[in-house]
Amino acid sequence: MTYQIDDIIDKRFIVKGICNDSGGMGQVLFVEDSVSEFPGELALKYCREDSEEYIKRFRREVRLLEGFSGNTKVVETLHSNIDNEPPYFVMKYYP
């Protein structure tokens, strides 16, 4: 699955552009939060692979990132939905 500009992910995040397309199993998009809970520039990473093994690995990645909450050396996960198809998480975008 791939998203296009102005697609809406999980009835909330509006795709504004592609941030990075060179990852192994994921793609990172610039998004805007339509409910304005998270203002500013955001990046959303989602699993673009259909394989159950890749989806399982991606969900594990999200759980591990969330386990580092509060660690200033690891990107903070602002929002995630690992049950969504495809699973994703949202983080601040740092230029």
Side-chain angles (χ1 to χ4, degrees), residues 4-48:
Q4 305 298 319
I5 292 175
D6 293 329
D7 282 351
I8 299 175
I9 299 171
D10 207 11
K11 300 178 185 174
R12 180 172 180 172
F13 297 100
I14 305 165
V15 177
K16 295 300 180 183
I18 296 174
C19 178
N20 190 314
D21 194 26
S22 63
M25 67 178 156
Q27 183 179 46
V28 181
L29 306 170
F30 291 115
V31 296
E32 178 182 304
D33 183 6
S34 67
V35 299
S36 301
E37 180 180 353
F38 306 112
E41 293 184 283
L42 301 173
L44 180 147
K45 182 176 180 181
Y46 73 96
C47 184
R48 65 178 166 194

Side-chain angles (χ1 to χ4, degrees), residues 43-60:
L44 180 147
K45 182 176 180 181
Y46 73 96
C47 184
R48 65 178 166 194
E49 299 294 328
D50 293 333
S51 161
E52 189 57 40
E53 182 60 31
Y54 280 112
I55 292 170
K56 181 178 173 182
R57 286 174 51 198
F58 187 87
R59 287 177 174 150
R60 181 175 182 266

Side-chain angles (χ1 to χ4, degrees), residues 60-78 89:
R60 181 175 182 266
E61 175 184 344
V62 175
R63 285 192 302 272
L64 288 170
L65 279 173
E66 290 175 341
F68 283 104
S69 179
N71 185 325
T72 59
K73 300 195 185 318
V74 179
V75 67
E76 180 183 7
T77 303
L78 300 175
F89 69 92

Side-chain angles (χ1 to χ4, degrees), residues 3 15 17 47 67 74 82 88 93:
Y3 288 106
V15 177
C47 184
V74 179
I82 59 173
Y88 70 89
Y93 171 69

